[in-house]
């Protein structure tokens, strides 16, 4: 039996929040602030009954889900749109755009929470310097746009790719420059899924355990109104890997993914110049700002 709607719920129904979210991003497209090919994407999770779950992915990749316990698919869709609209409009505020003043303030806050010092900001070889460099590369962008780029580095850290670059003694600055230009697509996901397939071969059952953990983290993040791209990508990468875990699928999948890996590594060697240096994870201090961004999300 459904619970009665609150006054706020009825207000959002009357406002047609799904239509408002579409109109908001349509206006940004008309103003030339986004690619014309970008669209809103809704994804309803199959379920025989409540609670129903819906995700909405914004142009650029930021993702939000329904915050409430929803008794229908339509209600879940409205609630996901409500969270996405509130964060989209909040993201337009001047305080949400990366400026030189914003960078200076953020770096000082990062220094205050670590053992680094402010002089490290000019050295990309340090964690503070890497964080400063990433902010500088994204000057003028909003926090949602920055979070979309940060998701790439979060996944690289989670997947073990950054550790591999560190062991190769790659320059942190070059890695940041290279991957700041990369986007999450099917080939990137396939590459990461292959890495997890290799880990599964070394430790049987690891994929299932990691997938359960990823689904738990995604649910917890959704219920707190956070931006969900990182958590959702983890779940999808692990699900993809698990779907190819049987021996018949693995050989052909490895061949295709390894071809992509060789091509990507060649591109990085040519463009990124793997150099001597002590490269540690750039997400160490970039994560600092990501967490602050989550706290500022409108729930």
């Amino acid at each position: 039996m459904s619970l009665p709607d609150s006054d706020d719920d009825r207000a959002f129904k009357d406002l047609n929040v799904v239509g408002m979210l579409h109109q908001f991003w349509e206006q940004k497209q008309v103003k030339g602030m986004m690619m014309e090919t970008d669209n809103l994407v809704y994804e309803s999770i199959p379920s025989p009954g409540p609670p129903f779950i819906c995700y909405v992915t914004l142009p650029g990749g930021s993702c939000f889900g329904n915050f409430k316990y929803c008794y229908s698919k339509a209600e879940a869709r409205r609630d996901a749109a409500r969270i996405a609209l509130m964060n989209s409009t909040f993201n337009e505020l001047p305080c949400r755009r990366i400026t030189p003043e914003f960078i200076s303030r953020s770096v000082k806050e990062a220094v205050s929470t670590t053992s680094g010092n402010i002089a490290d900001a000019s050295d990309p070889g340090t964690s503070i310097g890497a964080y400063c460099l990433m902010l500088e590369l994204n000057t003028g962008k909003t926090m949602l746009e920055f979070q979309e780029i940060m998701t790439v580095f979060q996944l690289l850290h989670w997947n073990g790719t950054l550790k591999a670059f560190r062991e190769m003694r790659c320059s942190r600055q070059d890695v940041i420059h290279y991957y700041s230009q990369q986007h999450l697509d099917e080939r990137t996901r396939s590459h990461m899924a292959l890495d997890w397939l290799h880990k599964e071969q070394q430790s049987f059952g690891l994929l299932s355990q990691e997938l359960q953990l990823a689904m738990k983290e995604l649910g917890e993040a959704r219920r707190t109104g956070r931006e969900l791209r990182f958590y959702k990508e983890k779940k999808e990468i692990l699900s993809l890997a698990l779907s190819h875990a049987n021996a018949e699928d693995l050989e052909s999948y490895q061949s295709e993914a390894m071809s992509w890996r060789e091509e990507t590594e060649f591109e990085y060697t040519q463009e990124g110049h793997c150099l001597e240096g002590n490269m540690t994870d750039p997400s160490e201090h970039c994560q600092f700002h990501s967490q602050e961004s989550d706290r500022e999300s409108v729930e």
Side-chain angles (χ1 to χ4, degrees), residues 196-215:
W196 281 102
L197 277 171
H198 288 157
K199 294 175 183 178
E200 172 72 7
Q201 290 178 322
Q202 297 171 2
S203 178
F204 181 76
L206 178 65
L207 272 177
S208 295
Q209 294 176 8
E210 287 291 329
L211 181 57
Q212 290 180 2
L213 177 60
M215 293 177 68

Side-chain angles (χ1 to χ4, degrees), residues 12 30 32 42 81 85 118 121 130 136 141 171-172 187 194 201 203 209 237 243 246 249 252 262 294:
F12 272 108
V30 170
Y42 287 91
L85 178 62
I118 199 64
E136 290 174 345
K141 293 184 178 180
S171 160
R172 184 189 306 202
R187 299 176 75 196
L194 179 60
Q201 290 178 322
S203 178
Q209 294 176 8
I237 289 167
S243 71
N246 68 73
D249 288 344
S252 61
E262 290 169 1
D294 289 335

Side-chain angles (χ1 to χ4, degrees), residues 111-122:
V111 169
S112 69
T113 61
T114 67
S115 58
N117 59 73
I118 199 64
D120 292 339
S122 59

Side-chain angles (χ1 to χ4, degrees), residues 47-59:
S47 174
F52 290 95
I53 297 172
C54 181
Y55 300 103
V56 55
T57 300
L58 304 178

Side-chain angles (χ1 to χ4, degrees), residues 178 182 187 191 256-271:
Y178 180 78
Q182 304 304 306
R187 299 176 75 196
H191 176 206
E256 178 182 350
M258 283 302 291
S259 175
W260 176 90
R261 173 185 283 182
E262 290 169 1
E263 178 182 338
T264 303
E265 288 180 349
F266 174 78
E267 288 175 358
Y268 181 77
T269 302
Q270 296 298 314
E271 299 176 19

Side-chain angles (χ1 to χ4, degrees), residues 7-295:
D7 291 341
D8 287 342
D9 293 330
R10 286 191 290 271
F12 272 108
K13 288 180 183 178
D14 293 340
L15 287 173
N16 183 18
V17 69
V18 173
M20 290 176 66
L21 180 63
H22 176 79
Q23 184 179 33
F24 174 90
W25 286 98
E26 190 177 58
Q27 289 176 348
K28 288 178 72 70
Q29 187 179 84
V30 170
K31 295 177 181 178
M33 301 173 67
M34 54 179 267
M35 297 292 291
E36 292 184 3
T37 55
D38 288 343
N39 294 301
L40 293 167
V41 178
Y42 287 91
E43 178 187 354
S44 295
I45 305 302
S47 174
F52 290 95
I53 297 172
C54 181
Y55 300 103
V56 55
T57 300
L58 304 178
S62 295
C63 180
F64 296 93
N66 55 298
F67 176 75
K68 301 189 309 176
Y69 186 108
C70 295
Y71 290 85
S72 70
K73 292 181 180 179
E75 182 185 8
R77 184 183 177 96
R78 284 194 300 270
D79 196 50
R82 175 178 69 91
I83 298 296
L85 178 62
M86 294 171 73
N87 279 278
S88 295
T89 54
F90 182 57
N91 192 56
E92 296 298 301
L93 295 176
C95 64
R96 300 288 290 174
R97 194 167 293 276
I98 298 175
T99 63
E101 293 77 18
F102 178 91
I103 294 173
S104 177
R105 184 171 65 251
S106 297
V107 169
K108 289 178 181 177
E109 291 175 353
V111 169
S112 69
T113 61
T114 67
S115 58
N117 59 73
I118 199 64
D120 292 339
S122 59
D123 180 6
T126 65
S127 296
I128 294 294
Y131 176 51
C132 183
L133 175 62
M134 290 198 68
L135 288 172
E136 290 174 345
L137 289 174
N138 292 281
T139 299
K141 293 184 178 180
T142 66
M143 285 311 304
L144 275 185
E145 291 171 327
F146 182 64
Q147 179 60 43
E148 290 159 10
I149 295 171
M150 269 307 306
T151 299
V152 175
F153 286 95
Q154 287 176 298
L155 288 170
L156 291 172
H157 173 55
W158 163 72
N159 197 53
T161 303
L162 294 182
K163 180 181 179 181
F165 278 127
R166 182 172 68 246
E167 292 172 349
M168 293 165 58
R169 301 187 65 78
C170 292
S171 160
R172 184 189 306 202
Q173 183 176 6
D174 289 331
V175 172
I176 291 174
H177 275 288
Y178 180 78
Y179 280 104
S180 291
Q181 306 302 318
Q182 304 304 306
H183 300 284
L184 288 171
D185 54 22
E186 291 305 317
R187 299 176 75 196
T188 305
R189 295 184 187 96
S190 294
H191 176 206
M192 293 189 177
L194 179 60
D195 286 339
W196 281 102
L197 277 171
H198 288 157
K199 294 175 183 178
E200 172 72 7
Q201 290 178 322
Q202 297 171 2
S203 178
F204 181 76
L206 178 65
L207 272 177
S208 295
Q209 294 176 8
E210 287 291 329
L211 181 57
Q212 290 180 2
L213 177 60
M215 293 177 68
K216 178 182 177 181
E217 291 175 345
L218 176 61
E220 291 173 348
R222 178 181 57 81
R223 288 187 292 272
T224 56
R226 300 175 68 180
E227 199 278 322
L228 303 174
R229 180 79 182 275
F230 171 59
Y231 305 99
K232 194 165 181 293
E233 290 287 351
K234 285 205 307 185
K235 180 183 79 70
E236 293 179 357
I237 289 167
L238 292 167
S239 296
L240 177 61
L242 197 59
S243 71
H244 290 277
N246 68 73
E248 293 181 2
D249 288 344
L250 186 57
E251 184 175 350
S252 61
Y253 184 73
Q254 283 181 322
S255 176
E256 178 182 350
M258 283 302 291
S259 175
W260 176 90
R261 173 185 283 182
E262 290 169 1
E263 178 182 338
T264 303
E265 288 180 349
F266 174 78
E267 288 175 358
Y268 181 77
T269 302
Q270 296 298 314
E271 299 176 19
H273 310 296
C274 194
L275 305 174
E276 290 291 318
N278 180 25
M279 189 212 149
T280 55
D281 302 329
S283 60
E284 289 174 358
H285 290 292
C286 297
Q287 179 67 14
F288 169 87
H289 198 88
S290 172
Q291 293 172 344
E292 180 175 294
S293 175
D294 289 335
R295 290 197 297 269

